[in-house]
Amino acid sequence: MLNSLEIMETIKMISEEHLDIRTVTMGISLLSCTDSDIHKVCDKVYDRITTQAAGLVKTAEQIEAEYGIPIINKRISVTPAALLLGAAKSPEDGVLLARTLDRAALATGVNFIGGYSALVHKGMTHGDSMLIASIPEALSVTERVCSSVNVGTTRAGINMDAVAEMGRIIKETAKKTADKGGFGCAKLVIFCNAVEDNPFMAGAFCGVGEPEAVINVGVSGPGVVKCALEQVKGADFGVVAETVKKTAFKITRMGQLVAQEASRRLGVPFGIVDLSLAPTPAVGDSVAYILEEMGLEKCGTHGTTAALALLNDAVKKGGVMASSYVGGLSGAFIPVSEDAGMIAAAECGALSLDKLEAMTCVCSVGLDMICVPGETPAATLSAIIADEAAIGMVNNKTTAVRIIPAPGTVVGDTVEFGGLLGTGPVMPVNPHKSEAFIARGGRIPAPIHSLRN
């Protein structure tokens, strides 16, 4: 039973410390929508999504009102769309499917729909090739569609042909959305070791191992963790870890409540709670501020990676004690443009791209929402993806790259995306070339420790 102190504590977390349910995401399988005629595929997809998710937004709003818990986003993730494009005649068929997903998202009232995706860590099918070729146009003509491509796994290695192609795709996507600062790239993630039950955009998709439909919930509370650490100033790291763990437990319990209630009301199985400290541009709702509360003058200085490692581990330990079904990415996100503290650190030079790469060894995902000069070569973007995929492959963890070569910008400029996507300071990249490295192609073999059978 909850006592009055626990109730008041939760109310304070919500009203003063930015605690919220970041997303209720319904995963929907589209495997029943295959057909040799792309128009029939699109009709089936639209009907399937709008029927299955008809009550998603209304139900989430009812739960929000009844329990007083803010639910910021209502989203849908679908089966990787490349699986539906096996009979596609051209990339235009992929664009047609993306437009259909966008219409379905609008009809159901969700913020985003993820799953315009391809899994190409070991090679590309015809459908994969059609989808990847269509990404720049698809993301430029849709508002709610998010795309992802998995280019590597610990078991398969890294598909460097796909890595090279994604550098070019990012450049083309930025060009096609130049009037919005390259915004299309903010809806495109390149993964290594992508997970099937991630509720967070832009990388969400409903994996082939998932049921017909499933409810996954993403919880966020960087502000709550920072406020908790303010109460233990000067304490040793054991106390810091215990404080984060206990706070993560409380946050996850709230997510479990919302997930189970949404599952019951919608008649859809509950999947997982993803406890990811996903920041926003709001002051106080920052992962960087948590790290600085541990004693760093500025996020990015020496000690930042160690502080982030402690934070990520303690969040996971607290989460798994609170729910038997913690999944997704679960940990701490470090998206530069979406985190007020990260933005400030990047603008003053304390946080560099190289330091961010080091931090991704211990955080939940990877290089996220990073703006770089518009003239950055495609091969350099591919090399950045390759580095990040290598970290994921060798360490058997999910890593990702969401990078925006904002057209017409140079180092020191800022790009305004608005909303949760925030403001991106344009960061410098290494000026030395990687073309010959990326041009080799082929696959980087899996590490020896992948052979576990």
Side-chain angles (χ1 to χ4, degrees):
M1 293 290 291
L2 292 173
N3 61 41
S4 58
L5 288 177
E6 288 174 321
I7 293 170
M8 292 304 295
E9 182 182 50
T10 303
I11 291 171
K12 181 175 181 289
M13 287 178 177
I14 292 170
S15 62
E16 299 178 20
E17 299 170 6
H18 304 282
L19 176 61
D20 59 51
I21 301 295
R22 187 56 50 87
T23 179
V24 174
T25 301
M26 179 181 285
I28 302 174
S29 173
L30 300 182
L31 292 177
S32 62
C33 300
T34 56
D35 200 285
S36 58
D37 184 333
I38 188 62
H39 297 284
K40 291 182 179 179
V41 169
C42 291
D43 289 342
K44 291 179 182 180
V45 165
Y46 184 84
D47 291 344
R48 172 91 175 101
I49 293 171
T50 54
T51 300
Q52 184 68 64
L56 175 60
V57 172
K58 182 179 179 181
T59 299
E61 289 173 345
Q62 289 172 344
I63 294 171
E64 184 176 17
E66 290 175 25
Y67 289 91
I69 299 171
I71 300 175
I72 307 303
N73 292 292
K74 298 83 179 176
R75 297 165 171 169
I76 294 170
S77 64
V78 298
T79 306
L83 297 176
L84 305 179
L85 293 174
K89 294 180 173 60
S90 70
E92 283 69 33
D93 286 350
V95 176
L96 186 62
L97 180 55
R99 287 182 182 274
T100 301
L101 294 173
D102 205 43
R103 285 194 299 113
L106 177 63
T108 55
V110 297
N111 306 93
F112 287 108
I113 184 165
Y116 196 71
S117 307
L119 311 180
V120 298
H121 39 274
K122 210 169 183 180
M124 289 191 197
T125 65
H126 174 73
D128 294 328
S129 297
M130 291 296 99
L131 182 134
I132 289 173
S134 74
I135 286 174
E137 180 70 13
L139 295 185
S140 69
V141 299
T142 59
E143 294 182 10
R144 296 167 179 82
V145 173
C146 292
S147 180
S148 60
V149 177
N150 191 66
V151 298
T153 69
T154 298
R155 290 302 299 265
I158 303 171
N159 182 349
M160 290 299 292
D161 292 325
V163 167
E165 182 63 16
M166 291 315 300
R168 294 187 287 268
I169 291 296
I170 290 171
K171 286 286 287 186
E172 184 63 22
T173 302
K175 181 180 177 181
K176 282 187 173 291
T177 55
D179 59 327
K180 300 178 182 178
F183 176 71
C185 298
K187 301 188 293 174
L188 173 60
V189 184
I190 297 89
F191 276 115
C192 178
N193 290 321
V195 297
E196 295 191 336
D197 56 7
N198 167 25
F200 284 100
M201 299 299 168
F205 63 89
C206 184
V208 295
E210 297 289 295
E212 289 286 346
V214 64
I215 289 292
N216 297 318
V217 167
V219 186
S220 182
V224 179
V225 174
K226 180 182 182 297
C227 288
L229 290 182
E230 289 174 355
Q231 308 307 310
V232 294
K233 284 186 181 295
D236 67 33
F237 285 116
V239 174
V240 171
E242 190 68 15
T243 301
V244 174
K245 187 171 69 174
K246 289 178 178 178
T247 306
F249 176 89
K250 296 171 185 176
I251 295 170
T252 307
R253 293 299 284 177
M254 187 185 76
Q256 174 100 344
L257 168 68
V258 170
Q260 290 181 330
E261 191 62 19
S263 170
R264 182 184 66 81
R265 296 187 186 193
L266 290 164
V268 173
F270 160 51
I272 56 95
V273 176
D274 185 325
L275 177 61
S276 289
L277 296 183
T280 72
V283 175
D285 199 25
S286 161
V287 170
Y289 291 162
I290 297 174
L291 305 180
E292 291 168 6
E293 184 60 37
M294 291 187 196
L296 304 173
E297 181 181 1
K298 207 72 177 174
C299 178
T301 190
H302 304 296
T304 299
T305 305
L308 183 59
L310 183 154
L311 175 64
N312 212 53
D313 180 67
V315 165
K316 291 178 186 290
K317 287 174 177 173
V320 297
M321 286 295 292
S323 173
S324 296
Y325 298 102
V326 171
L329 299 168
S330 287
F333 287 179
I334 52 171
V336 175
S337 79
E338 298 174 16
D339 185 307
M342 295 284 180
I343 293 170
E347 288 178 336
C348 76
L351 188 63
S352 67
L353 194 58
D354 289 342
K355 185 60 177 179
L356 280 165
E357 183 180 299
M359 292 165 68
T360 65
C361 297
V362 298
C363 79
S364 281
V365 192
L367 296 171
D368 198 12
M369 286 302 292
I370 294 170
C371 294
V372 296
E375 293 303 312
T376 303
T380 298
L381 299 174
S382 294
I384 291 170
I385 294 168
D387 283 344
E388 197 59 31
I391 290 171
M393 176 185 71
V394 172
N395 291 287
N396 197 26
K397 71 183 293 290
T398 302
T399 54
V401 173
R402 187 162 48 146
I403 193 166
I404 301 104
T409 64
V410 296
V411 174
D413 289 345
T414 58
V415 184
E416 295 287 344
F417 296 115
L420 286 176
L421 296 177
T423 301
V426 178
M427 302 177 70
V429 299
N430 193 305
H432 300 284
K433 297 180 180 180
S434 307
E435 275 87 350
F437 174 75
I438 294 301
R440 287 179 178 272
R443 277 170 46 208
I444 292 179
I448 187 63
H449 61 256
S450 70
L451 299 175
R452 293 184 175 183
N453 286 342

